[in-house]
């Protein structure tokens, strides 16, 4: 990030005012990506989700073999977990977060695709662990490595992995099966770049998923 701001500042005085302007831009981008987790929101959401599950579904079944695989991967020391999942329903993010959290794996950072979210819904999802691509990056056709947006996103991804926070990446958009979405490509590129540049020595890619008798 410093390299990008320095190159953009060439020719300017580089005074304290310019430094503060860059800092404000960086924080604006970071605020678009994520927000601090809210324990109160998480507890309320867990309670509400249990009520919702009881009304929507007859039962929820955990695949014990897959659960054991996930727990075994989580026991690997100092290696971040990156969960990869298909996307059958808009409820998938909440359900998978709830299930992983209930198994003692912490609250994952969950990538939210390009579907339209109101500002209030976006703010709520970020407090529950949702992370978004910066809005301008979703519309960019250029290389995501370029510019301040790409630098902040790459650094954020490196910090998530370095701190061993679980990361959940949805590979598809709902109702568009078997097609790798553009947001998923960018998040996977950021994970690959973090390993390539040595920010983390390795990551564990763990497939997870939800199937429904009837998609809600």
């Amino acid at each position: 990030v410093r390299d990008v701001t320095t190159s953009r500042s060439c020719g300017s005085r580089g005074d304290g005012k310019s430094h503060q302007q860059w800092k404000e831009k960086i924080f604006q981008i970071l605020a678009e990506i994520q927000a601090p987790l809210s324990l109160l929101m998480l507890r309320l959401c867990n309670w509400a989700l249990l009520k919702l599950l009881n009304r929507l579904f007859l039962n929820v079944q955990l695949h014990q073999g897959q659960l054991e695989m996930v727990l075994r991967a989580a026991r690997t020391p100092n290696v971040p977990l990156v969960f990869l999942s298909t996307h059958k329903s808009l409820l998938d993010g909440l359900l998978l977060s709830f299930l992983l959290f209930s198994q003692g794996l912490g609250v994952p950072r969950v990538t939210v695709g390009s579907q339209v979210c109101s500002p209030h819904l976006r703010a709520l999802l970020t407090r529950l662990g949702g992370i978004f691509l910066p809005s301008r990056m979703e519309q960019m056709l250029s290389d995501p490595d370029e510019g301040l947006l790409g630098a902040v996103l790459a650094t954020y991804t490196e910090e998530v992995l370095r701190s061993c926070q679980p990361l959940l990446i949805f590979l598809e958009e709902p109702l568009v099966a078997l097609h790798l979405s553009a947001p998923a490509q960018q998040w996977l590129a950021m994970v690959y770049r973090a390993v390539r540049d040595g920010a983390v020595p390795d990551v564990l890619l763990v497939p997870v998923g939800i199937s429904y008798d009837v998609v809600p």
Side-chain angles (χ1 to χ4, degrees):
V1 173
R2 187 182 296 113
D3 290 343
V4 172
T5 57
T6 301
S7 65
R8 296 282 185 88
S9 298
C10 287
S12 66
R13 292 177 299 171
D15 54 13
K17 184 177 180 180
S18 174
H19 177 78
Q20 184 62 29
Q21 288 174 343
W22 280 115
K23 192 173 181 179
E24 289 174 359
K25 286 183 180 179
I26 291 166
F27 279 124
Q28 286 173 0
I29 295 170
L30 189 58
E32 282 193 73
I33 298 172
Q34 63 98 53
L37 294 174
S38 169
L39 292 179
L40 176 61
M41 290 284 191
L42 286 167
R43 291 192 183 103
L44 287 174
C45 185
N46 279 339
W47 174 82
L49 197 56
L50 281 172
K51 300 289 186 184
L52 179 65
L53 291 178
N54 286 330
R55 290 182 176 276
L56 277 181
F57 306 114
L58 292 176
N59 58 62
V60 177
Q61 299 177 351
L62 275 175
H63 190 291
Q64 293 302 318
Q66 189 181 52
L67 178 60
E68 178 55 35
M69 179 189 67
V70 171
L71 294 176
R72 187 167 64 247
R75 290 193 288 267
T76 306
N78 302 319
V79 178
L81 295 178
V82 177
F83 298 108
L84 303 178
S85 178
T86 56
H87 210 175
K88 306 298 183 187
S89 160
L90 293 173
L91 285 176
D92 288 358
L94 288 173
L95 284 170
L96 280 173
S97 294
F98 171 75
L99 293 173
L100 294 172
F101 181 66
S102 68
Q103 297 302 314
L105 297 175
V107 181
R109 289 292 185 172
V110 182
T111 62
V112 181
S114 57
Q115 60 263 30
V116 177
C117 289
S118 69
H120 292 298
L121 179 58
R122 186 166 179 145
L124 174 62
L125 292 177
T126 55
R127 287 292 188 175
L128 297 174
I131 54 177
F132 293 77
L133 291 174
S135 55
R136 284 170 291 167
M137 180 168 279
E138 293 174 358
Q139 302 163 4
M140 286 171 58
L141 298 177
S142 60
D143 185 349
D145 284 355
E146 295 176 359
L148 188 61
L149 290 171
V152 174
L153 182 64
T155 305
Y156 172 76
T157 306
E158 290 176 3
E159 290 302 317
V160 168
L161 297 175
R162 191 180 289 119
S163 61
C164 287
Q165 295 181 63
L167 177 63
L168 172 58
I169 299 176
F170 285 108
L171 302 177
E172 309 163 338
E173 295 289 356
L175 307 180
V176 188
L178 304 178
H179 178 73
L180 186 64
S181 68
Q185 291 181 42
Q186 292 191 333
W187 285 113
L188 290 171
M190 293 296 109
V191 172
Y192 168 75
R193 174 176 169 171
V195 178
R196 181 197 67 190
D197 294 347
V200 290
D202 200 3
V203 297
L204 281 175
L205 301 179
V206 183
V208 295
I210 294 180
S211 60
Y212 303 91
D213 290 333
V214 178
V215 176

